Amino acid sequence: MAAESSKQFWKRSAKLPGSIQPVYGAQHPPLDPRLTKNFIKERSKISTLPMKNKKASSFHEFARDTSDAWDIGDDEDEDFPSFQTLNSKVAKATAAQVLENHSRLRVKPEWPQVALNEAPTNCKVIKSNSEAQLSRAPEDACVRNPLHKQQSLPLRPIIPLVARISDQNASGAPPMTVREKTRLEKFRQLLSSHNTDLDELRKCSWPGVPREVRPVTWRLLSGYLPASMERRKLTLQRKREEYFGFIEQYYDSRNEEHHQDTYRQIHIDIPRTNPLIPLFQQPLVQEIFERILFIWAIRHPASGYVQGINDLVTPFFVVFLSEYVEEDVENFDVTNLSQDVMRSIEADSFWCMSKLLDGIQDNYTFAQPGIQKKVKALEELVSRIDEQVHNHFRKYEVEYLQFAFRWMNNLLMRELPLRCTIRLWDTYQSEPEGFSHFHLYVCAAFLIKWRKEILDEEDFQGLLMLLQNLPTIHWGNEEIGLLLAEAYRLKYMFADAPNHYRR
């Protein structure tokens, strides 16, 4: 009864954070083709109305017309099919539908053509516990195949629906230039010194960390490893043993009644973590995520587990996995690795995620005051740096909380391909208070990046659909570098003078 009343409360209180609607973006396009189809029909109806009758729709109207993907399955799993219950035929149709609608609504034909890593021709996907598959050979082609059959926009670059995790730029630049070799050598010298200069390491990491040295660099920058070379091996051994001590001590308690809600929510969210990347649909990977999130939740009772924390494990897991895998890890079968290696990856991911969350835990405590404060700061900042965009939102009754809550809660992970998140976190970990403070300026720069598209939308629904489905799937290191440069400029102008962005 309490759960039902809670559900009704969030449905009625449409402007509260829990009522934010679709959770799609670069990694989470709509899985139900009917959703996008209905939106296109609705947009065509709106466009045929006379201008004098066209009014900005309210948030309540929008809420009734869209599925609440943020709370899908929290109370009733049957309300919306999980990713794992989709058969391969639906997955293929969805991929083609999403691509077609994405191209029609957002992609400009005049965009320059860019070369990307070719999608693999043999796209084998590991079955999850529910026997779901993204693709089946030979009768079902890989989910990427429809991307190579698009003929309507010849100038559109061929981009995998599942954005590759590799470090290659979207421009197709060579993976290792002379400058990059010099930078890699600089990193190796710093990391091999008797006592690593962390300030110098942060300086070198700000423009990005080479893939070869990223795992150890992230461990150092997050504060998980000590700067002293002599202490690192013992520290890793001790911390890994400590984590698995927590597993032995606490993990069985997931079956106890007072932990049932926490465990159930984690169990619901894990299949949604990067659902289009096969790596994260493997049973062994999902079991690892389940243990990491449960142990963290019961060791942090002030916040417990909150939806969105599951996403924060993925960059660490991918980076530490890449230490043992040379090829792109997107389709890698983790059962090929030894148990000791998987235990090391799991423990390191847990501790580094814990270090990250220590700095932003007020984002996940009751009522999430940290996020509320950051969204308000974003609104004030945007009102100073681009008053036209700010007034455009006010004109069509768009609240910043309706789109920026997710940006703060998930650190833009739902808006960017995973490869871009990893590059972004290179800078966040090298920037003082990067996740808690610098992220605000990155969000402001990210919003203004789309000012033309924002100003082109002239109704509430169009603005919300744009802001929740921004076309970043083609992004690579170059776009993230430009975004970070603009964010640094904003920080330089406003961070030391916060009254500059307060009215």
Side-chain angles (χ1 to χ4, degrees), residues 140-156:
D140 288 340
C142 171
V143 289
R144 294 179 182 170
N145 286 351
L147 294 150
H148 298 282
K149 298 176 182 177
Q150 296 296 318
Q151 302 294 332
S152 56
L153 292 176
L155 295 180
R156 187 183 186 280

Side-chain angles (χ1 to χ4, degrees), residues 220-281:
L220 285 164
L221 293 179
S222 66
Y224 174 45
L225 274 187
S228 171
M229 174 71 78
E230 293 179 355
R231 295 174 51 208
R232 288 179 197 168
K233 187 175 180 180
L234 288 175
T235 299
L236 278 177
Q237 183 179 348
R238 177 174 57 84
K239 296 299 283 184
R240 289 167 179 171
E241 289 175 356
E242 186 179 352
Y243 168 72
F244 284 100
F246 294 151
I247 297 291
E248 292 178 10
Q249 185 176 356
Y250 299 118
Y251 191 57
D252 286 342
S253 68
R254 69 190 185 280
N255 299 315
E256 297 176 6
E257 186 176 353
H258 59 288
H259 287 150
Q260 278 296 296
D261 288 344
T262 297
Y263 179 71
R264 181 174 180 272
Q265 188 60 61
I266 291 171
H267 198 71
I268 289 170
D269 287 349
I270 285 176
R272 303 179 192 166
T273 305
N274 295 284
L276 297 180
I277 297 180
L279 172 69
F280 299 107
Q281 300 307 308

Side-chain angles (χ1 to χ4, degrees), residues 5 74 92 142 161 183 430 443 484:
S5 61
D74 290 359
K92 281 176 59 184
C142 171
L161 178 63
R183 290 190 69 241
S430 61
C443 287
L484 288 167

Side-chain angles (χ1 to χ4, degrees), residues 25-26 102 415-417 419-420 446 450 469-476:
H102 180 76
E415 324 318 314
L416 299 170
R419 64 173 181 270
C420 294
F446 186 66
W450 309 102
N469 297 277
L470 291 165
T472 60
I473 193 170
H474 68 289
W475 277 29

Side-chain angles (χ1 to χ4, degrees), residues 85-315:
T85 60
L86 293 173
N87 59 32
S88 59
K89 187 174 294 185
V90 175
K92 281 176 59 184
T94 302
Q97 182 72 28
V98 169
L99 181 66
E100 180 184 350
N101 293 331
H102 180 76
S103 303
R104 188 185 308 162
L105 291 175
R106 301 281 168 239
V107 177
K108 309 297 187 209
E110 63 270 15
W111 282 2
Q113 205 164 8
V114 296
L116 285 178
N117 295 337
E118 279 192 17
T121 55
N122 183 16
C123 186
K124 183 180 178 182
V125 179
I126 307 301
K127 290 185 180 180
S128 65
N129 289 325
S130 63
E131 301 296 313
Q133 287 181 276
L134 286 174
S135 60
R136 292 176 185 171
E139 68 273 9
D140 288 340
C142 171
V143 289
R144 294 179 182 170
N145 286 351
L147 294 150
H148 298 282
K149 298 176 182 177
Q150 296 296 318
Q151 302 294 332
S152 56
L153 292 176
L155 295 180
R156 187 183 186 280
I158 297 174
I159 300 167
L161 178 63
V162 182
R164 293 183 66 79
I165 300 172
S166 63
D167 283 341
Q168 186 152 351
N169 288 335
S171 63
M176 185 67 75
T177 63
V178 174
R179 178 177 175 274
E180 287 169 339
K181 287 179 181 177
T182 305
R183 290 190 69 241
L184 178 58
E185 186 58 34
K186 172 71 172 174
F187 271 95
R188 283 177 171 156
Q189 288 175 5
L190 280 169
L191 297 172
S192 62
S193 61
H194 179 70
N195 200 55
T196 301
D197 185 340
L198 293 180
D199 290 334
E200 187 63 26
L201 185 62
R202 289 189 183 96
K203 233 180 254 186
C204 292
S205 300
W206 208 100
V209 180
R211 182 184 191 273
E212 294 82 355
V213 293
R214 185 175 274 137
V216 65
T217 302
W218 275 28
R219 291 186 187 105
L220 285 164
L221 293 179
S222 66
Y224 174 45
L225 274 187
S228 171
M229 174 71 78
E230 293 179 355
R231 295 174 51 208
R232 288 179 197 168
K233 187 175 180 180
L234 288 175
T235 299
L236 278 177
Q237 183 179 348
R238 177 174 57 84
K239 296 299 283 184
R240 289 167 179 171
E241 289 175 356
E242 186 179 352
Y243 168 72
F244 284 100
F246 294 151
I247 297 291
E248 292 178 10
Q249 185 176 356
Y250 299 118
Y251 191 57
D252 286 342
S253 68
R254 69 190 185 280
N255 299 315
E256 297 176 6
E257 186 176 353
H258 59 288
H259 287 150
Q260 278 296 296
D261 288 344
T262 297
Y263 179 71
R264 181 174 180 272
Q265 188 60 61
I266 291 171
H267 198 71
I268 289 170
D269 287 349
I270 285 176
R272 303 179 192 166
T273 305
N274 295 284
L276 297 180
I277 297 180
L279 172 69
F280 299 107
Q281 300 307 308
Q282 298 179 42
L284 181 56
V285 173
Q286 294 189 351
E287 289 168 12
I288 288 171
F289 275 51
E290 188 176 281
R291 287 194 293 268
I292 289 173
L293 294 171
F294 183 77
I295 296 300
W296 188 89
I298 63 174
R299 293 189 74 246
H300 295 81
S303 62
Y305 175 76
V306 177
Q307 284 181 293
I309 294 178
N310 56 307
D311 286 328
L312 305 185
V313 185
T314 57

